[in-house]
Amino acid sequence: HLMSQLADILQSRSWSGLGLQLPPYSMDTRGNAGGGQGAQSPRQPDQLFPLLSESKTAFVIHDLSNHGENISDLFRSSLQYYNAYQGDKYHENNNTLGFINLSTSENKLCIDLMTKRLSRSDMNCTEDALLQYPDWRGQPFLWEEVARFLTYYCKAPAPLDPENVVVLNGCCSVFCALAMVLCDAGVKVFLIPTPFYSGLALTSRLYTKIELFFIHLDSELTGENTRPFQLTVDKLEQGLHEARLKRKKVRGLVLINPQNPLGDVYSRDSLMEYLEFAKRHKLHVILDEIYMLSVFDKSITFHSVLRMESLPDPNRTHVIWGTSKDFGISGFRFGTLYTHSKEVAAAVSSFGCLHGISGTTQHNLCRLLQDRDWIDKMYLPTNHSRLQEAHKYIADKLKALKIPFLNHGSGLYIWINLKKYLDPCTFENELVLHHRFLDNKVVLSCGKSYMCKEPGWFRLVFAETILHLDPLAMHWFCEALQEQKKELV
Amino acid sequence: HLMSQLADILQSRSWSGLGLQLPPYSMDTRGNAGGGQGAQSPRQPDQLFPLLSESKTAFVIHDLSNHGENISDLFRSSLQYYNAYQGDKYHENNNTLGFINLSTSENKLCIDLMTKRLSRSDMNCTEDALLQYPDWRGQPFLWEEVARFLTYYCKAPAPLDPENVVVLNGCCSVFCALAMVLCDAGVKVFLIPTPFYSGLALTSRLYTKIELFFIHLDSELTGENTRPFQLTVDKLEQGLHEARLKRKKVRGLVLINPQNPLGDVYSRDSLMEYLEFAKRHKLHVILDEIYMLSVFDKSITFHSVLRMESLPDPNRTHVIWGTSKDFGISGFRFGTLYTHSKEVAAAVSSFGCLHGISGTTQHNLCRLLQDRDWIDKMYLPTNHSRLQEAHKYIADKLKALKIPFLNHGSGLYIWINLKKYLDPCTFENELVLHHRFLDNKVVLSCGKSYMCKEPGWFRLVFAETILHLDPLAMHWFCEALQEQKKELV
């Protein structure tokens, strides 16, 4: 989501040697740029997104801690994109010149079904217990339902234990608490293959100093790579070796499956190999399976680690899931942890006092998750066919434009290769193209914000209704590319 | 709330020189002790709450970080009380032998009004925007309403600026984020007078190492003290001096007003003196005003710092409020920050990605806060008269029992002096009495968990309906005291 944009800055500060300075977008921190939803601010296609450096001028008093200043800078510059969009959203009737957001990974294709479902009478509940202090691990009825839900949809060989579930307000909260209880900050690190969804990296910086050690995958097809950005055990071994050479104590491995931004779904065999690698080295594995029900290509089988008959190292295997992506309700702020380690579950649940969810929201989530009939017969089939359709629409457009992309059947996004629009192909020029899109009121995430080691890749979110309902949307995308091309010549 | 109990352990670990070892309650970590709500487990008044040391035996694998182990230990032992209560709650029909919770600071007196209000049709809203990613600072409509609400109820001399509001999921989240952006952990400290609500101390330990430096107040009436536990500027100056002697860099002062657990409401003049003290030393002041609308004695005027015509140091004055106490909806997980510093507001709002509230809950909170008619004509008058009545009921009982207490007209609790039941009057014996109450199925918070420097004080929550509806409740309280007295003789 919006955090993917933050990673530019994250990267340019302390995470990379690339030394890129992200030019801040010139507007106030609360996103009044566009003058609100109704503002018909004229497009200015010839003016490159303003490259000013005013982001710090708004504040004169410096009363923050060092950490507070770092965090504030980090978010302030990056939220400018997001606030620009929030303050001047495209709307087919009211604001046809507003920003089109192809950057935030939200599924807007089934919001009609969802609002209808959430309007049913079983959603209204104000029982006393919901209004009072909760169990910090979540309401018991919700962790019980989550266990049943995951047992069913992950095809677990035996019923999952509700005692091993922790419910918090979003997957980043789960990751942050989990990282905190598994890894002593400043001492130990987690391995993570790149490109990857960088919100994880960002949020873990807010409170902690948990370090991620990148295993940079590349797109080229060589002996080892039969697919672009392929993860192999050899690369994991090599990454671990490099980390150790740099005197890092590696504590675990983070995997996103289905992958974000690649859309890759790991095969059962690959997954098992990664888990066995982790076991050999006594590493924890954190699996972010937040897109597990967004595999819309019927020929692809998603294998949750919870489906394995026997896990190589169950007590060190931890699964994160939430409803933000698969149910398109990121605004609900719901994330959950399933771990076989009761010790880890107990430790993470302590963080519930900082990451709690309203009782009434927990009630509604429970009702939603337990409505299997609606999920199986109505929601999932509709969602998958709409995702499929939206994906096809974009894939066809990209083919027509001769833009290469990874053709996977999962997730809400497509990983596209715009290298031919960069000359030379550098991260500096990737950023120029990124701003060219913004000038054309199209928000796209660039590869650098996923710690991709190759410049020129972008993530385009296709689960956006207006994208394929209004021909203008892709038109602006194309316009930005044409402008960029003109400059190249 | 439940966290006040945690402070025993907090204290006994790293916060004090008292070296008290809290005996863990012998039950599993998920509170199956009482066998559920319906279990009629026989009272065993003669058996002191079991003093076993089994809390670590449940887990054999140790896969946590050092920090994870500390946190886990801290919460596990303490949650035993809470889980004991959760698993075996008193109920007037179903479980008359269950635990009566006079420890968790919840207002249950108006839950009938609240559930009725929350059942009205204006609470059902599933607009698209509520289901999607929020502004991390909270939904704009909510921070706008919070600004209006605080302007009105704090009697601010000029309308408060919505841009200075941050909305997070609970006041502990606000405190934690605020402490993080104001104070570099391990380097700088906050002063705080004791006894104080120790949840603040606990939650700030989950992610951060923010240190609180205690200014221990005492109950004796001497030249300086015209009231028990009186806070004076001299004591603040002395505390600052002591902290500096210990080479602590003091960054701020934390004040709770109305005070928890004392019930004190600071006069306008006292408040101004504290703020001027802070300004002299360039200290931030964090004001926790979460009980601001729970001043039920009409002769007392509550002065919010937001009411001041001119604050000595506005950019370093930060107010925390939430609906948990004043509206009795702790389960909603809503806390808010108001600060005149846009820099601080921006920095704290970055933490919204970890402390977000569901959009639908934000909608409901907004509806609630804007219903001034209901609040002013129905809710507040009823709440205040019920609080007054409940307070009087308990005060009369305590007088009959010749138990001294602080007689204030605010908050949900009463600070009682049970020193005469301790011989010698030590923290060890305070804990024995605490367990005596537990054996009689009465949960009470002891003074040590508020970092009180004098043993023998307890906090009794009177905003509990059953307490004054069922004569049995106070009967058990008395029984515990009689038993304790028998042992003394």
Side-chain angles (χ1 to χ4, degrees), chain A residues 150-292:
Chain A
L150 294 178
T151 301
Y152 179 75
Y153 288 102
C154 296
K155 302 183 174 64
L160 298 172
D161 186 349
E163 303 281 309
N164 296 353
V165 174
V166 185
V167 164
L168 300 179
N169 70 336
C171 289
C172 281
S173 298
V174 176
F175 180 78
C176 211
L178 190 54
M180 199 73 187
V181 306
L182 293 182
C183 193
D184 282 308
V187 184
K188 291 171 181 169
V189 304
F190 285 105
L191 300 177
I192 189 162
T194 79
F196 80 104
Y197 166 63
S198 48
L200 295 182
L202 181 85
T203 45
S204 65
R205 303 283 283 185
L206 276 172
Y207 277 123
T208 79
K209 291 188 174 175
I210 299 299
E211 201 182 329
L212 298 178
F213 190 88
F214 302 142
I215 299 176
H216 291 288
L217 307 180
D218 56 47
S219 66
E220 218 181 318
L221 299 187
T222 56
E224 202 186 7
N225 274 2
T226 57
R227 295 191 317 273
F229 302 104
Q230 189 171 358
L231 180 64
T232 64
V233 171
D234 281 351
K235 291 177 193 171
L236 287 174
E237 292 282 3
Q238 198 188 324
L240 179 63
H241 182 68
E242 280 168 22
R244 285 177 174 166
L245 281 181
K246 289 181 180 164
R247 300 191 167 277
K248 306 286 184 190
K249 287 183 185 165
V250 178
R251 180 70 169 161
L253 167 67
V254 180
L255 294 174
I256 303 170
N257 184 33
Q259 221 279 351
N260 178 4
L262 303 173
D264 255 342
V265 175
Y266 296 135
S267 72
R268 193 196 163 284
D269 289 350
S270 299
L271 198 54
M272 190 51 104
E273 283 175 22
Y274 309 149
L275 293 175
E276 276 163 357
F277 154 82
K279 187 185 182 175
R280 273 199 300 285
H281 300 287
K282 295 192 175 167
L283 302 182
H284 285 270
V285 186
I286 298 178
L287 273 131
D288 176 352
E289 296 189 353
I290 194 166
Y291 293 97
M292 69 160 74

Side-chain angles (χ1 to χ4, degrees), chain A residues 55-173:
Chain A
S55 74
K56 290 202 74 161
T57 56
F59 302 125
V60 281
I61 304 149
H62 290 287
D63 258 332
L64 299 178
S65 63
N66 295 332
H67 182 72
E69 288 212 3
N70 289 338
I71 289 299
S72 197
D73 285 356
L74 196 64
F75 274 78
R76 191 186 306 147
S77 348
S78 60
L79 283 178
Q80 286 168 345
Y81 303 138
Y82 189 67
N83 288 333
Y85 156 71
Q86 288 286 358
D88 184 22
K89 279 184 192 177
Y90 171 92
H91 188 279
E92 48 196 359
N93 303 323
N94 308 332
N95 194 23
T96 53
L97 296 179
F99 281 95
I100 293 178
N101 184 356
L102 308 181
S103 168
T104 305
S105 181
E106 286 191 300
N107 185 349
K108 297 182 181 170
L109 301 178
C110 284
I111 208 147
D112 56 333
L113 296 185
M114 189 52 74
T115 48
K116 211 173 151 192
R117 179 64 192 87
L118 293 175
S119 304
R120 282 201 215 157
S121 60
D122 64 345
M123 289 294 166
N124 305 329
C125 184
T126 46
E127 272 171 25
D128 293 6
L130 299 177
L131 304 183
Q132 290 165 9
Y133 278 116
D135 187 311
W136 292 127
R137 181 188 276 225
Q139 293 280 355
F141 61 75
L142 183 55
W143 32 263
E144 281 162 17
E145 192 52 45
V146 167
R148 279 191 290 269
F149 184 91
L150 294 178
T151 301
Y152 179 75
Y153 288 102
C154 296
K155 302 183 174 64
L160 298 172
D161 186 349
E163 303 281 309
N164 296 353
V165 174
V166 185
V167 164
L168 300 179
N169 70 336
C171 289
C172 281
S173 298

Side-chain angles (χ1 to χ4, degrees), chain A residues 30 61 133 137 143 343, chain B residues 30 61 106 137 143 343:
Chain A
R30 288 309 279 275
I61 304 149
Y133 278 116
R137 181 188 276 225
W143 32 263
E343 190 182 23
Chain B
R30 286 311 278 277
I61 303 148
E106 285 191 302
R137 183 189 276 226
W143 31 264
E343 190 183 22

Side-chain angles (χ1 to χ4, degrees), chain B residues 232-243:
Chain B
T232 64
V233 171
D234 280 351
K235 290 178 194 172
L236 288 173
E237 292 282 3
Q238 199 188 325
L240 180 63
H241 182 68
E242 280 168 23

Side-chain angles (χ1 to χ4, degrees), chain A residues 1-3 29-30 32 59-69 71-72 75-76 79 82-83 85-86 89 104-108 111 114-116 118-119 124 126-137 140 143 162-165 169 172-173 176-177 179-184 197 202-203 206-208 251 284 313 315-316 324-325 328-333 341-344 346-347 349-361 364, chain B residues 1-3 29-30 32 59-69 71-72 75-76 79 82-83 86 89 104-108 111 114-116 118-119 124 126-138 140 143 162-165 169 172-173 176-177 179-184 197 202-203 206-208 251 284 313 315-316 324-325 328-333 341-344 346-347 349-361 364:
Chain A
H1 53 72
L2 80 105
M3 283 195 223
T29 48
R30 288 309 279 275
N32 294 321
F59 302 125
V60 281
I61 304 149
H62 290 287
D63 258 332
L64 299 178
S65 63
N66 295 332
H67 182 72
E69 288 212 3
I71 289 299
S72 197
F75 274 78
R76 191 186 306 147
L79 283 178
Y82 189 67
N83 288 333
Y85 156 71
Q86 288 286 358
K89 279 184 192 177
T104 305
S105 181
E106 286 191 300
N107 185 349
K108 297 182 181 170
I111 208 147
M114 189 52 74
T115 48
K116 211 173 151 192
L118 293 175
S119 304
N124 305 329
T126 46
E127 272 171 25
D128 293 6
L130 299 177
L131 304 183
Q132 290 165 9
Y133 278 116
D135 187 311
W136 292 127
R137 181 188 276 225
W143 32 263
E163 303 281 309
N164 296 353
V165 174
N169 70 336
C172 281
S173 298
C176 211
M180 199 73 187
V181 306
L182 293 182
C183 193
D184 282 308
Y197 166 63
L202 181 85
T203 45
L206 276 172
Y207 277 123
T208 79
R251 180 70 169 161
H284 285 270
D313 197 353
N315 275 300
R316 290 202 187 95
S324 296
K325 311 304 180 183
I329 47 171
S330 41
F332 258 67
R333 314 309 309 126
S341 164
K342 290 215 175 349
E343 190 182 23
V344 172
S349 64
S350 308
F351 287 76
C353 52
L354 290 177
H355 301 301
I357 309 175
S358 164
T360 51
T361 302
N364 291 356
Chain B
H1 54 70
L2 81 103
M3 283 193 222
T29 47
R30 286 311 278 277
N32 292 322
F59 301 126
V60 282
I61 303 148
H62 291 286
D63 258 332
L64 299 179
S65 63
N66 294 332
H67 182 73
E69 289 213 0
I71 289 299
S72 197
F75 275 78
R76 191 188 305 146
L79 283 177
Y82 189 67
N83 289 332
Q86 287 286 356
K89 279 183 193 175
T104 305
S105 181
E106 285 191 302
N107 184 350
K108 296 183 182 169
I111 208 146
M114 190 52 75
T115 47
K116 211 173 151 192
L118 293 173
S119 303
N124 306 329
T126 48
E127 271 171 25
D128 293 9
L130 300 177
L131 304 182
Q132 289 166 10
Y133 278 117
D135 186 311
W136 291 129
R137 183 189 276 226
W143 31 264
E163 303 281 309
N164 296 354
V165 173
N169 70 336
C172 281
S173 298
C176 213
M180 198 75 186
V181 305
L182 294 182
C183 194
D184 283 309
Y197 166 63
L202 181 86
T203 46
L206 276 171
Y207 277 123
T208 79
R251 180 69 169 162
H284 286 271
D313 197 354
N315 276 300
R316 291 202 187 96
S324 296
K325 311 303 180 183
I329 48 171
S330 42
F332 259 68
R333 315 307 311 124
S341 163
K342 290 217 175 347
E343 190 183 22
V344 172
S349 64
S350 309
F351 288 76
C353 54
L354 291 178
H355 300 301
I357 309 176
S358 165
T360 51
T361 302
N364 291 355

